[in-house]
Amino acid sequence: MYFAEYSGTLYNCIGFGELQSEFVRNLFLAITQTDQQDLILDKPPRYFSRLLTGELQIKTLSQKIAGYIDRPQFADYLSTYCTDDVVLNLQNEFAKYDITLSTENFEEDLADVFCDIIMTSMEKKSTPKALALHFAGQRERYSTLKNLLYFNESVPLVNFYIPNDLLLPDGKRKNAARCLLGGTDKRMIISGTGGLGKSVLMRYMTLKLMDEYQHYKKIPIMIQLNEYDSKNLPFVEVVKENTRNLSDLDKHLENGDCVFLLDAMDEIPTGEQKRFEKELLHYVSLYPKNTYIMSSRPISRFIQFQNFKTYELAPFSLDQAVAMVRKVRYHEDTPSLKEKFIWDLQEELYEQHQDFVENPLLLTIMLLTYQFHAHIPKKRHVFFAEAFQTLAKNHDETKEGFDRVFETKMNP
């Protein structure tokens, strides 16, 4: 898809005098398992140089090597080149394409970029006809979203979304999709406070599973749990409602072909939660081969799901915050305003208001506030008042079919 641009950037930063054809060939050898080199070595040098210049597309080669991609091996290969200076140069260069490469997981993030290109380049041929209707329905519902910056229209996630990381028990960050979709765990909970982006991450993983079906070979079934109503729509019926276009559902469930993305357990009414837990755990026992990923704000009821591994959603790093601001559409008639905000973000706002910058929703509020005064109010209580009103009202209005119940019985 963007292989010529991205590999050209990589070549300029780490080529170190290699011939273009040799560099690209070695790139593909590192991406694939070493015992499958014949799939690549039978091509002449000119073939690889034409891939780098964009004269040839990678679709044909992608179809040959898709089953042999080895992301960890490719990350190891990249680590041999990635000095601190190279990392910084590549971070700056890829930021021009709206791609954030974290310092902590740089090689893995960069490996994902190239491996994802290979998978998406063959998307049309990688989706079996039997899944096309289901994928189309999921894509139509979850590929676009309203948020505070795009309040009057739904826009594609790719236009504004920067994925969060997960926090591991040792405090290290891990790419969320890689950890949740590429690991061996079958039952997981993503825990995070309001505004961190749990729901958008679930949408992102739904799209990723479809875009890279040839790699994952898994069928996403995303369910917004505010649809759950034990009297009128128990869990098994919610599943059926969300898989009406999926033929042979029972067969897929028996085979373990499905990834259930259950969004916002905390939005199930209090009186319904015990019933939901019972129904979900029963469903998991009936179809244990499938993967179940559930998102929620931190609540005490996680203990009921003893066979689920809980991951904490990591707040934004400064790099991720800057990447999000660069990506969103904001006062396009005055681009200097966005650049000034980014400068302030890097120079002082991250240190002064880290709790806001780390949270995508609060960062958005900060950006919206900035447009009126070209600075952030020094009085935090003024800023907090705006944040509360947005969280209590505007944020919930962007959620499809959701009306939050305030346990105090008070208005916001």
Side-chain angles (χ1 to χ4, degrees):
M1 190 172 173
Y2 300 105
F3 179 80
E5 293 92 332
Y6 296 172
S7 60
T9 299
L10 199 62
Y11 178 74
N12 290 334
C13 290
I14 70 173
F16 299 129
E18 284 188 69
L19 292 174
Q20 291 183 348
S21 57
E22 181 182 352
F23 178 82
V24 177
R25 187 186 70 165
N26 289 337
L27 205 62
F28 279 107
L29 286 174
I31 289 173
T32 55
Q33 295 174 16
T34 54
D35 60 348
Q36 299 299 328
Q37 293 182 359
D38 289 345
L39 293 172
I40 298 163
L41 293 178
D42 64 348
K43 301 292 185 182
R46 175 65 176 151
Y47 175 83
F48 296 103
S49 60
R50 292 177 71 189
L51 290 176
L52 186 72
T53 59
E55 296 175 60
L56 285 179
Q57 299 299 311
I58 65 168
K59 186 173 183 179
T60 301
L61 183 58
S62 295
Q63 290 169 351
K64 290 180 66 176
I65 68 173
Y68 307 105
I69 288 177
D70 191 329
R71 295 180 189 230
Q73 174 183 284
F74 188 41
D76 288 342
Y77 164 81
L78 293 171
S79 68
T80 63
Y81 292 96
C82 293
T83 63
D84 290 344
D85 289 340
V86 170
V87 168
L88 182 60
N89 287 337
L90 285 171
Q91 286 175 324
N92 292 333
E93 288 300 314
F94 275 89
K96 297 175 183 177
Y97 300 106
D98 295 326
I99 295 174
T100 303
L101 302 173
S102 67
T103 303
E104 298 88 346
N105 299 300
F106 179 82
E107 292 85 1
E108 292 176 326
D109 288 351
L110 189 54
D112 278 349
V113 169
F114 280 87
C115 293
D116 288 351
I117 290 173
I118 292 172
M119 303 313 300
T120 54
S121 71
M122 45 185 296
E123 176 183 350
K124 289 184 179 180
K125 291 207 171 185
S126 65
T127 304
K129 290 182 179 179
L131 299 180
L133 279 178
H134 175 69
F135 281 12
Q138 296 270 287
R139 196 178 298 279
E140 180 180 6
R141 186 171 184 183
Y142 298 118
S143 64
T144 62
L145 187 67
K146 289 183 179 180
N147 69 11
L148 295 177
L149 283 170
Y150 309 108
F151 200 75
N152 296 318
E153 59 175 332
S154 291
V155 297
L157 260 64
V158 296
N159 288 8
F160 65 87
Y161 182 60
I162 299 295
N164 298 70
D165 297 320
L166 297 181
L167 284 178
L168 301 184
D170 60 5
K172 292 183 179 180
R173 288 172 172 261
K174 184 76 172 178
N175 179 280
R178 187 186 309 128
C179 188
L180 297 167
L181 302 179
T184 57
D185 293 317
K186 293 288 188 182
R187 301 168 183 80
M188 293 160 280
I189 294 174
I190 306 169
S191 174
T193 53
L196 272 185
K198 301 179 296 297
S199 294
V200 193
L201 175 61
M202 300 292 269
R203 288 172 176 256
Y204 170 75
M205 291 193 294
T206 298
L207 298 173
K208 190 174 182 66
L209 285 168
M210 293 188 293
D211 290 341
E212 300 183 34
Y213 177 78
Q214 188 67 26
H215 172 65
Y216 291 106
K217 295 292 178 66
K218 294 293 182 181
I219 304 168
I221 300 174
M222 180 161 170
I223 295 174
Q224 295 175 315
L225 290 178
N226 55 43
E227 299 174 358
Y228 174 78
D229 177 354
S230 61
K231 297 182 179 64
N232 301 312
L233 206 64
F235 183 74
V236 65
E237 295 301 324
V238 173
V239 172
K240 290 179 181 178
E241 281 292 309
N242 284 273
T243 55
R244 283 179 293 178
N245 294 325
L246 181 58
S247 58
D248 296 326
L249 174 61
D250 290 340
K251 179 181 177 181
H252 289 305
L253 290 173
E254 292 291 344
N255 292 341
D257 296 333
C258 304
V259 175
F260 285 87
L261 297 130
L262 310 173
D263 183 40
M265 180 179 66
D266 58 290
E267 293 179 4
I268 297 174
T270 303
E272 295 279 354
Q273 287 180 355
K274 285 187 176 180
R275 183 67 183 175
F276 166 75
E277 292 161 10
K278 183 177 180 181
E279 290 185 7
L280 174 62
L281 293 175
H282 177 66
Y283 198 88
V284 172
S285 69
L286 290 176
Y287 306 108
K289 295 180 181 179
N290 299 282
T291 299
Y292 300 84
I293 304 172
M294 186 158 51
S295 72
S296 175
R297 297 190 187 200
I299 57 176
S300 60
R301 303 201 68 84
F302 289 167
I303 197 171
Q304 308 297 326
F305 299 93
Q306 295 187 15
N307 292 326
F308 281 69
K309 184 174 182 178
T310 301
Y311 287 100
E312 184 180 346
L313 195 62
F316 265 3
S317 65
L318 177 58
D319 288 343
Q320 288 171 321
V322 170
M324 191 197 89
V325 175
R326 288 196 185 281
K327 198 167 190 179
V328 298
R329 191 172 71 233
Y330 176 76
H331 281 271
E332 293 174 307
D333 54 335
T334 53
S336 59
L337 187 62
K338 180 193 281 192
E339 291 304 316
K340 186 176 184 298
F341 179 78
I342 291 173
W343 190 90
D344 287 347
L345 199 62
Q346 295 171 321
E347 293 298 318
E348 57 183 24
L349 292 180
Y350 184 74
E351 185 174 337
Q352 293 175 358
H353 297 285
Q354 185 174 345
D355 50 347
F356 269 70
V357 178
E358 289 180 333
N359 184 299
L361 174 61
L362 300 184
L363 176 61
T364 303
I365 296 171
M366 182 180 280
L367 185 59
L368 290 171
T369 303
Y370 197 82
Q371 69 183 340
F372 297 111
H373 309 289
H375 72 278
I376 296 300
K378 292 183 179 179
K379 294 182 179 180
R380 287 175 70 84
H381 73 277
V382 176
F383 196 22
F384 284 5
E386 286 194 32
F388 178 77
Q389 288 299 326
T390 302
L391 281 169
K393 184 176 186 295
N394 296 359
H395 174 50
D396 285 352
E397 286 182 355
T398 65
K399 293 196 171 188
E400 181 181 336
F402 177 56
D403 185 17
R404 189 180 300 280
V405 177
F406 291 94
E407 298 296 340
T408 60
K409 309 303 179 186
M410 298 167 65
N411 61 29

